[in-house]
Amino acid sequence: MPPLLGGVIGYFTNDLAITMLFRPYRPLKVGGLRLPFTPGLIPRNQNRLAQRISDSIMGSLLTPSELQKITLRLLAPERVKMVIQWLLELALEQSRGPSADSSAQVLAKVLRDLVNQALPRLSLALSRRESFLKKQLNQIFDEVLLGLHLTEDQSEKLADWVLEVVIPPDTLRMMLIDFLTDRNIQTLDLDLREKTSGTYWVIANLFGARNALFRLRSYCIDDPVGSNQRIAELIVALGIRRRLVEWLSSFSLQSLPMSTVRQLRRNFREGVRSYVQDRGAQVIEKLSRSVDWDESATILLNRLRSSAAVEESLALVSQDLAGILERYLERDIEKLVAQALPILNLDQVIMDRVNATAPEDLETAIQGIVRSELKAIVALGGILGVLVGVLQSVILILR
C-alpha cells in the first residue's frame, strides 16, 4: 500500500500545485472572506510578472545597443532603396489616377509659393554677392553679345527706328535750339575768328558766324514746320539713313579694344546685378501674376507621367536617397535611438500587454511552451511518491 499511495499522492499533489499556478483565475470568497491561494499564483501576481518581464526584456534583450543594431539591419541600404523606389513609383502611379487633378492643384500651390516668396528672397540674397552669376553672365556676353551681328534687314529697321522715333526732325530741331544758346554762339564765333586761316579766316572775320547762327536759331523757333521739313530733306540729301545702315551692319563689339570689351562686360554684369537688386522682386511678382500656375502644373505633371526618363531615374534617385539616409544614420543613430526610446515607451507597452492578457490566455501560452516539462514534473512527483512508499515498506518490513 505505501508505494501505491505515495505514487498517487506525489502525482496528484504536483498536478495540483501546477494547476494552482494558474487557477482559479479569480478570487473565491466565502462569507465576504477571500479563500487562501485564490486566485492562482500567476493571476494574483500578474502586475509583478508584467514588471519583471518588462525589466528582463528591456534590461537584457532590447538594450539601446541592440536596438541600434536592429535599426541598422532594418534600414539596410538595399531595403531603404527598395522602399523609397516603391514610394516614388506609387506616387507616380497615383498622379496618373483619379487624384491627378488634386496633385496638379497641390503642385500649382507649391510653384506659386516658390516663385512668389522663395525666389525673390533668394535672388535678392544672391545678387548681393560679388560673384552673382559671374560665370553665366560672362559666358552670355562672350558667346552672344560679343559675336552679335545685325543683318541688313535688321540694320534698316533699326535705322528707321532711330530716325523716326529716337531722333526725328522735330527732336533734332529742339536739340539744335538748345545747343544754340547765346553763350555757345559767342564761343563758336570767337573760335572761328581766332583759329581759322586763309579764306575761312576772311569769311569769319568779315561776315562772322554769329548772325547766321542767330538767324538759324530764330528760324527753328519761329517756323517749326518748315525747319522740320528742311532737316528731313537734309537727312535724305546727306544719306544719313544709308550711312547709319552701313555702320550698324558692320558694327561688332569684337572690333573694339580689349580693354573696352572687358569694361563693357563688367558693366553688363554689374547692370544685371543692380537690376536684380532693385527690381528683381517686382519683375518676378509681375511674371508670377501673368502665369497660369494650374495649367503649368498640369502640363508639367503630364510631361512627367509620359516621360521615360523619369521612370528610368527612379532607381538612381532611390539609391542616392538611400545613401544619404545611410550616412545620416551612421552619424546620428545613437542619438535617434535615445530619442525614440522615450517615445516608443516599450517597457510600458510590454507591461500593458501582459496585464491586458486574460489569465486563461496566459495559462494557454505557458502551457503551450512548457507542456512537456510540466507533465514531466507531475510524473516525477508520482515516481518520487512510489520511491518514498517503497522505502517506507522496507523500513516496516525490517522492523
Side-chain angles (χ1 to χ4, degrees):
M1 292 298 295
L4 180 60
L5 294 176
V8 172
I9 293 172
Y11 183 89
F12 285 102
T13 52
N14 278 12
D15 185 65
L16 178 62
I18 292 173
T19 302
M20 291 177 64
L21 290 174
F22 307 100
R23 302 182 186 181
Y25 300 130
R26 292 167 184 80
L28 302 178
K29 295 183 179 180
V30 177
L33 298 177
R34 182 175 64 86
L35 294 179
F37 306 109
T38 61
L41 181 63
I42 290 178
R44 187 168 63 250
N45 298 280
Q46 192 165 352
N47 291 333
R48 285 193 296 171
L49 177 64
Q51 182 66 50
R52 298 298 292 272
I53 292 175
S54 175
D55 294 341
S56 299
I57 293 176
M58 298 303 299
S60 59
L61 298 179
L62 296 181
T63 60
S65 59
E66 289 297 326
L67 287 175
Q68 293 176 20
K69 295 178 183 178
I70 293 173
T71 303
L72 290 176
R73 286 198 298 269
L74 290 175
L75 299 178
E78 288 300 324
R79 293 192 180 95
V80 174
K81 175 187 173 182
M82 293 173 61
V83 172
I84 294 176
Q85 185 173 354
W86 175 75
L87 290 174
L88 293 177
E89 292 175 352
L90 181 62
L92 186 61
E93 187 66 26
Q94 287 293 325
S95 66
R96 298 171 179 167
S99 60
D101 294 338
S102 60
S103 300
Q105 293 176 2
V106 172
L107 181 59
K109 292 180 181 179
V110 172
L111 292 176
R112 187 182 296 108
D113 293 340
L114 178 64
V115 174
N116 288 341
Q117 300 181 11
L119 191 57
R121 291 196 296 267
L122 180 61
S123 61
L124 181 60
L126 292 177
S127 63
R128 292 173 180 171
R129 299 180 181 179
E130 293 291 336
S131 60
F132 172 68
L133 296 178
K134 184 176 181 180
K135 294 182 179 179
Q136 292 79 5
L137 293 176
N138 287 342
Q139 184 176 3
I140 292 174
F141 184 87
D142 295 339
E143 296 182 2
V144 179
L145 298 180
L146 193 60
L148 182 64
H149 286 276
L150 296 178
T151 63
E152 185 175 357
D153 183 60
Q154 292 172 342
S155 300
E156 291 177 355
K157 291 181 179 180
L158 182 59
D160 292 337
W161 177 76
V162 171
L163 295 176
E164 294 174 3
V165 179
V166 181
I167 49 172
D170 189 68
T171 302
L172 289 175
R173 181 180 66 83
M174 296 302 299
M175 293 172 60
L176 186 60
I177 293 172
D178 294 337
F179 174 73
L180 294 177
T181 61
D182 293 341
R183 182 179 178 181
N184 289 342
I185 292 174
Q186 183 70 26
T187 302
L188 289 173
D189 183 68
L190 183 62
D191 286 346
L192 289 174
R193 291 175 184 274
E194 294 178 352
K195 298 180 180 180
T196 55
S197 60
T199 306
Y200 298 108
W201 183 86
V202 174
I203 295 174
N205 284 274
L206 289 179
F207 301 101
R210 187 176 188 181
N211 292 332
L213 293 176
F214 274 123
R215 290 176 182 176
L216 176 61
R217 185 180 68 178
S218 300
Y219 175 70
C220 290
I221 294 174
D222 297 337
D223 189 5
V225 177
S227 57
N228 288 343
Q229 186 176 359
R230 299 289 85 77
I231 292 173
E233 292 174 355
L234 282 174
I235 291 175
V236 174
L238 296 175
I240 300 297
R241 180 181 180 278
R242 178 178 55 80
R243 295 177 183 273
L244 185 59
V245 170
E246 293 176 354
W247 180 81
L248 290 174
S249 300
S250 61
F251 176 76
S252 174
L253 294 179
Q254 295 178 354
S255 61
L256 299 176
M258 185 59 67
S259 58
T260 305
V261 173
R262 291 175 180 173
Q263 184 63 39
L264 287 175
R265 184 169 61 179
R266 187 180 303 109
N267 293 341
F268 171 70
R269 190 174 64 249
E270 291 298 327
V272 173
R273 181 183 168 201
S274 300
Y275 184 83
V276 172
Q277 288 182 358
D278 297 337
R279 303 188 59 187
Q282 300 176 4
V283 172
I284 294 174
E285 183 179 356
K286 292 179 180 178
L287 178 63
S288 176
R289 288 200 298 264
S290 64
V291 174
D292 188 349
W293 291 111
D294 294 330
E295 182 179 358
S296 301
T298 303
I299 295 173
L300 180 60
L301 282 178
N302 291 334
R303 184 69 182 91
L304 290 175
R305 293 173 193 139
S306 59
S307 175
V310 173
E311 296 183 357
E312 294 174 357
S313 62
L314 290 180
L316 182 60
V317 173
S318 303
Q319 184 175 358
D320 293 340
L321 292 176
I324 294 172
L325 182 59
E326 182 185 11
R327 291 193 295 271
Y328 177 75
L329 288 175
E330 289 178 354
R331 185 188 64 188
D332 296 331
I333 184 64
E334 185 176 354
K335 185 188 301 182
L336 288 174
V337 171
Q339 294 176 353
L341 281 176
I343 299 174
L344 296 176
N345 199 12
L346 293 177
D347 52 350
Q348 188 61 44
V349 171
I350 295 172
M351 291 176 59
D352 294 342
R353 184 58 184 166
V354 174
N355 287 326
T357 304
E360 298 91 337
D361 296 333
L362 280 177
E363 180 183 10
T364 302
I366 296 174
Q367 290 278 11
I369 297 173
V370 293
R371 184 183 303 275
S372 59
E373 288 79 0
L374 293 179
K375 288 183 177 180
I377 291 174
V378 173
L380 179 61
I383 294 172
L384 290 178
V386 171
L387 292 177
V388 171
V390 170
L391 178 62
Q392 187 178 2
S393 298
V394 170
I395 294 173
L396 288 173
I397 293 173
L398 293 177
R399 290 180 60 183

Short mmCIF file of all heavy atoms in Angstrom, two decimals, residues 34-63:
data_model
loop_
_atom_site.label_atom_id
_atom_site.label_comp_id
_atom_site.label_asym_id
_atom_site.label_seq_id
_atom_site.Cartn_x
_atom_site.Cartn_y
_atom_site.Cartn_z
N ARG A 34 -11.96 36.19 1.38
CA ARG A 34 -11.30 35.55 0.25
C ARG A 34 -10.57 34.31 0.73
O ARG A 34 -9.83 34.35 1.72
CB ARG A 34 -10.31 36.52 -0.40
CG ARG A 34 -9.60 35.93 -1.64
CD ARG A 34 -8.72 36.98 -2.30
NE ARG A 34 -7.65 37.40 -1.40
CZ ARG A 34 -6.47 36.76 -1.29
NH1 ARG A 34 -6.25 35.66 -2.00
NH2 ARG A 34 -5.55 37.21 -0.46
N LEU A 35 -10.81 33.21 0.01
CA LEU A 35 -10.15 31.96 0.37
C LEU A 35 -8.67 32.05 0.06
O LEU A 35 -8.25 32.70 -0.89
CB LEU A 35 -10.77 30.80 -0.42
CG LEU A 35 -12.23 30.46 -0.10
CD1 LEU A 35 -12.71 29.32 -0.98
CD2 LEU A 35 -12.39 30.11 1.37
N PRO A 36 -7.83 31.39 0.89
CA PRO A 36 -6.38 31.41 0.61
C PRO A 36 -6.09 30.76 -0.74
O PRO A 36 -6.83 29.89 -1.21
CB PRO A 36 -5.80 30.59 1.77
CG PRO A 36 -6.83 30.59 2.82
CD PRO A 36 -8.15 30.67 2.12
N PHE A 37 -4.98 31.18 -1.33
CA PHE A 37 -4.48 30.66 -2.61
C PHE A 37 -5.44 30.90 -3.77
O PHE A 37 -5.41 30.18 -4.77
CB PHE A 37 -4.17 29.16 -2.51
CG PHE A 37 -3.25 28.82 -1.37
CD1 PHE A 37 -3.73 28.14 -0.26
CD2 PHE A 37 -1.91 29.18 -1.42
CE1 PHE A 37 -2.88 27.83 0.79
CE2 PHE A 37 -1.07 28.84 -0.36
CZ PHE A 37 -1.54 28.17 0.75
N THR A 38 -6.33 31.91 -3.59
CA THR A 38 -7.19 32.29 -4.70
C THR A 38 -7.00 33.80 -4.94
O THR A 38 -6.99 34.58 -3.95
CB THR A 38 -8.66 32.00 -4.40
OG1 THR A 38 -9.10 32.74 -3.27
CG2 THR A 38 -8.88 30.53 -4.17
N PRO A 39 -6.88 34.24 -6.16
CA PRO A 39 -6.74 33.41 -7.36
C PRO A 39 -5.38 32.70 -7.39
O PRO A 39 -4.63 32.76 -6.41
CB PRO A 39 -6.85 34.44 -8.49
CG PRO A 39 -6.31 35.71 -7.89
CD PRO A 39 -6.74 35.68 -6.45
N GLY A 40 -5.06 32.08 -8.55
CA GLY A 40 -3.80 31.36 -8.66
C GLY A 40 -2.60 32.29 -8.55
O GLY A 40 -2.71 33.53 -8.56
N LEU A 41 -1.43 31.63 -8.48
CA LEU A 41 -0.20 32.40 -8.25
C LEU A 41 0.05 33.42 -9.37
O LEU A 41 0.33 34.59 -9.08
CB LEU A 41 0.99 31.43 -8.13
CG LEU A 41 2.35 32.08 -7.85
CD1 LEU A 41 2.33 32.79 -6.51
CD2 LEU A 41 3.45 31.03 -7.89
N ILE A 42 -0.06 32.99 -10.59
CA ILE A 42 0.23 33.90 -11.70
C ILE A 42 -0.85 34.98 -11.84
O ILE A 42 -0.53 36.16 -11.96
CB ILE A 42 0.42 33.10 -13.00
CG1 ILE A 42 1.73 32.31 -12.92
CG2 ILE A 42 0.42 34.01 -14.22
CD1 ILE A 42 2.01 31.45 -14.12
N PRO A 43 -2.14 34.68 -11.82
CA PRO A 43 -3.13 35.77 -11.88
C PRO A 43 -3.00 36.74 -10.72
O PRO A 43 -3.23 37.95 -10.89
CB PRO A 43 -4.47 35.03 -11.85
CG PRO A 43 -4.17 33.68 -12.40
CD PRO A 43 -2.80 33.36 -11.93
N ARG A 44 -2.65 36.21 -9.50
CA ARG A 44 -2.55 37.08 -8.34
C ARG A 44 -1.36 38.04 -8.47
O ARG A 44 -1.39 39.17 -7.97
CB ARG A 44 -2.43 36.23 -7.07
CG ARG A 44 -2.48 37.08 -5.78
CD ARG A 44 -2.66 36.22 -4.55
NE ARG A 44 -1.54 35.31 -4.34
CZ ARG A 44 -1.58 34.00 -4.49
NH1 ARG A 44 -2.72 33.43 -4.88
NH2 ARG A 44 -0.53 33.23 -4.26
N ASN A 45 -0.30 37.62 -9.13
CA ASN A 45 0.91 38.44 -9.26
C ASN A 45 1.15 38.87 -10.71
O ASN A 45 2.31 39.00 -11.14
CB ASN A 45 2.12 37.65 -8.75
CG ASN A 45 2.01 37.30 -7.29
OD1 ASN A 45 2.28 38.12 -6.42
ND2 ASN A 45 1.58 36.06 -6.99
N GLN A 46 0.05 39.07 -11.44
CA GLN A 46 0.20 39.39 -12.85
C GLN A 46 0.90 40.74 -13.05
O GLN A 46 1.71 40.90 -13.97
CB GLN A 46 -1.17 39.41 -13.54
CG GLN A 46 -1.08 39.46 -15.06
CD GLN A 46 -2.41 39.10 -15.71
OE1 GLN A 46 -3.34 38.68 -15.04
NE2 GLN A 46 -2.49 39.27 -17.03
N ASN A 47 0.64 41.72 -12.18
CA ASN A 47 1.30 43.01 -12.30
C ASN A 47 2.81 42.89 -12.09
O ASN A 47 3.61 43.46 -12.85
CB ASN A 47 0.71 44.00 -11.30
CG ASN A 47 -0.72 44.39 -11.65
OD1 ASN A 47 -1.11 44.35 -12.81
ND2 ASN A 47 -1.51 44.76 -10.64
N ARG A 48 3.19 42.16 -11.05
CA ARG A 48 4.62 41.98 -10.82
C ARG A 48 5.26 41.17 -11.93
O ARG A 48 6.41 41.42 -12.32
CB ARG A 48 4.84 41.28 -9.47
CG ARG A 48 4.63 42.21 -8.27
CD ARG A 48 5.16 41.58 -7.01
NE ARG A 48 4.42 40.36 -6.68
CZ ARG A 48 4.79 39.51 -5.71
NH1 ARG A 48 5.90 39.74 -5.03
NH2 ARG A 48 4.06 38.44 -5.46
N LEU A 49 4.51 40.19 -12.45
CA LEU A 49 5.03 39.40 -13.55
C LEU A 49 5.27 40.28 -14.78
O LEU A 49 6.30 40.16 -15.46
CB LEU A 49 4.04 38.27 -13.89
CG LEU A 49 4.40 37.39 -15.08
CD1 LEU A 49 5.69 36.62 -14.80
CD2 LEU A 49 3.26 36.44 -15.41
N ALA A 50 4.32 41.18 -15.05
CA ALA A 50 4.48 42.08 -16.19
C ALA A 50 5.70 42.98 -16.00
O ALA A 50 6.47 43.22 -16.94
CB ALA A 50 3.21 42.92 -16.37
N GLN A 51 5.89 43.48 -14.76
CA GLN A 51 7.03 44.34 -14.49
C GLN A 51 8.35 43.58 -14.67
O GLN A 51 9.31 44.08 -15.26
CB GLN A 51 6.93 44.89 -13.06
CG GLN A 51 8.06 45.84 -12.67
CD GLN A 51 8.02 47.12 -13.47
OE1 GLN A 51 6.98 47.75 -13.56
NE2 GLN A 51 9.16 47.50 -14.05
N ARG A 52 8.40 42.34 -14.17
CA ARG A 52 9.61 41.54 -14.29
C ARG A 52 9.91 41.20 -15.75
O ARG A 52 11.06 41.22 -16.18
CB ARG A 52 9.48 40.27 -13.44
CG ARG A 52 9.32 40.52 -11.95
CD ARG A 52 10.55 41.23 -11.38
NE ARG A 52 11.72 40.37 -11.41
CZ ARG A 52 12.04 39.53 -10.42
NH1 ARG A 52 11.27 39.46 -9.35
NH2 ARG A 52 13.13 38.81 -10.51
N ILE A 53 8.86 40.85 -16.51
CA ILE A 53 9.07 40.54 -17.93
C ILE A 53 9.59 41.78 -18.66
O ILE A 53 10.52 41.70 -19.47
CB ILE A 53 7.76 40.04 -18.56
CG1 ILE A 53 7.39 38.67 -17.98
CG2 ILE A 53 7.89 39.96 -20.08
CD1 ILE A 53 6.04 38.15 -18.46
N SER A 54 8.97 42.94 -18.36
CA SER A 54 9.41 44.18 -19.00
C SER A 54 10.86 44.50 -18.64
O SER A 54 11.66 44.85 -19.51
CB SER A 54 8.49 45.33 -18.59
OG SER A 54 8.96 46.55 -19.10
N ASP A 55 11.21 44.36 -17.35
CA ASP A 55 12.58 44.64 -16.94
C ASP A 55 13.56 43.69 -17.59
O ASP A 55 14.67 44.09 -18.02
CB ASP A 55 12.70 44.55 -15.41
CG ASP A 55 11.91 45.64 -14.72
OD1 ASP A 55 11.57 46.66 -15.39
OD2 ASP A 55 11.59 45.49 -13.52
N SER A 56 13.17 42.43 -17.69
CA SER A 56 14.07 41.44 -18.29
C SER A 56 14.30 41.73 -19.78
O SER A 56 15.43 41.68 -20.27
CB SER A 56 13.49 40.03 -18.11
OG SER A 56 13.36 39.72 -16.74
N ILE A 57 13.20 42.03 -20.48
CA ILE A 57 13.33 42.29 -21.91
C ILE A 57 14.12 43.56 -22.17
O ILE A 57 15.06 43.58 -22.99
CB ILE A 57 11.93 42.37 -22.56
CG1 ILE A 57 11.25 41.00 -22.51
CG2 ILE A 57 12.03 42.86 -24.00
CD1 ILE A 57 9.84 41.01 -23.04
N MET A 58 13.79 44.64 -21.48
CA MET A 58 14.47 45.91 -21.72
C MET A 58 15.87 45.92 -21.14
O MET A 58 16.73 46.68 -21.61
CB MET A 58 13.65 47.06 -21.11
CG MET A 58 12.28 47.24 -21.72
SD MET A 58 12.31 47.51 -23.52
CE MET A 58 13.24 49.02 -23.61
N GLY A 59 16.11 45.10 -20.11
CA GLY A 59 17.43 45.11 -19.50
C GLY A 59 18.45 44.23 -20.19
O GLY A 59 19.65 44.53 -20.17
N SER A 60 17.99 43.17 -20.84
CA SER A 60 18.95 42.24 -21.43
C SER A 60 18.72 41.99 -22.91
O SER A 60 19.66 41.62 -23.62
CB SER A 60 18.88 40.89 -20.69
OG SER A 60 17.57 40.36 -20.77
N LEU A 61 17.50 42.17 -23.39
CA LEU A 61 17.22 41.88 -24.79
C LEU A 61 17.17 43.14 -25.65
O LEU A 61 17.93 43.27 -26.61
CB LEU A 61 15.88 41.12 -24.91
CG LEU A 61 15.84 39.75 -24.21
CD1 LEU A 61 14.46 39.13 -24.38
CD2 LEU A 61 16.91 38.83 -24.76
N LEU A 62 16.30 44.08 -25.30
CA LEU A 62 16.13 45.29 -26.09
C LEU A 62 16.91 46.46 -25.49
O LEU A 62 16.34 47.50 -25.16
CB LEU A 62 14.65 45.64 -26.22
CG LEU A 62 13.79 44.63 -26.98
CD1 LEU A 62 12.35 45.10 -27.04
CD2 LEU A 62 14.32 44.40 -28.39
N THR A 63 18.21 46.28 -25.33
CA THR A 63 19.07 47.36 -24.85
C THR A 63 19.26 48.39 -25.97
O THR A 63 19.04 48.09 -27.15
CB THR A 63 20.41 46.81 -24.40
OG1 THR A 63 21.04 46.16 -25.52
CG2 THR A 63 20.25 45.82 -23.27
#
